Amino acid sequence: MELWFSETFGDIRTAWRVKEVLYHARSKYQDILILDTVPFGRMLVLDGCVMTTERDECAYHEMLVHPALLAHARPQEVCVVGGGDGGTVREVLKHPTVKRVVLAEIDEEVIAVSRQYLPSLASALGDPRVEIVVGDGARYLADHPREFDVVLSDSTDPVGPGAALFGDAYFQSARNALREGGVFVTQCKSLWADADSVRDSAARLSRYFSTVLPYVAAVPTYPTGSWSFLLATQGVDARCTAAADRQALICETTRYYTPAHQSAAFAVPAFHAGA
Ligand code: SPD
């Protein structure tokens, strides 16, 4: 008998064939599932939503991290909010200027399960530059003003506990947690399924940052296969700031990000750009 897992996102349903259920339990915060899928390898699912898979995680994590870190002149201190699987931290650590990465993840079970079942992502969490804070990332940022060069929001979808990470208070704390020249990025939603909501988040961010740019990446296991991000700064244009030598070093190990993505990813569809 065939086993399938499907995610329903509004009126869209996507399904993947499953070889084996490796782990399934409820933490204090959410339902956690690890599947071994036929097309995408191991998959982390939280509350029924696909968070990451071994095969396409590179698209999401590289695109959440590298445009932002390369837009910063010299990123040394980075805070990742969410991202307990470790994929975002792994990409941040590829930047040689980075001295300290704080991972603020509310659910320690996500970290533990990822360490056990997704070592290609979570092994980065053992790096001596990484400081793990188990707790509310929004609170953490609010309590650490002017401490970071880059803040990366690697959240769940904006439902339940994840909703706070798309609100005004959180965006204001992210701005306040940054030092001069700082860069903030949040994963957002699908322009195909939720363009109004992406616009709403961009408008909110614009209250705290003078430059807010949407960009996109192809992430096949996310609803519609195309995912958006918002990059916010005080006047830095990420599309033309990456130093070629730093970029070349990063591209030695990336599977998705290329130098062309630093500008091409910001070419959003006309229906969104023109709105
Ligand atoms: N709809 C899925 C959005 C998930 C974004 N965060 C994923 C976390 C992976 N590190």
Side-chain angles (χ1 to χ4, degrees), residues 2-58:
E2 284 190 352
L3 184 60
W4 289 77
F5 167 76
S6 67
E7 175 177 343
T8 305
F9 186 83
D11 298 320
I12 297 168
R13 182 168 291 171
T14 319
W16 302 269
R17 195 146 75 86
V18 172
K19 281 191 230 169
E20 197 182 346
V21 177
L22 299 174
Y23 177 91
H24 190 196
R26 191 160 179 93
S27 74
K28 193 170 147 196
Y29 297 98
Q30 54 208 338
D31 183 272
I32 304 177
L33 178 61
I34 299 274
L35 302 170
D36 191 9
T37 71
V38 176
F40 284 94
R42 292 186 178 186
M43 173 184 271
L44 168 66
V45 181
L46 299 179
D47 281 342
C49 299
V50 177
M51 288 296 118
T52 201
T53 76
E54 286 178 321
R55 187 166 170 216
D56 72 351
E57 59 89 7
C58 58

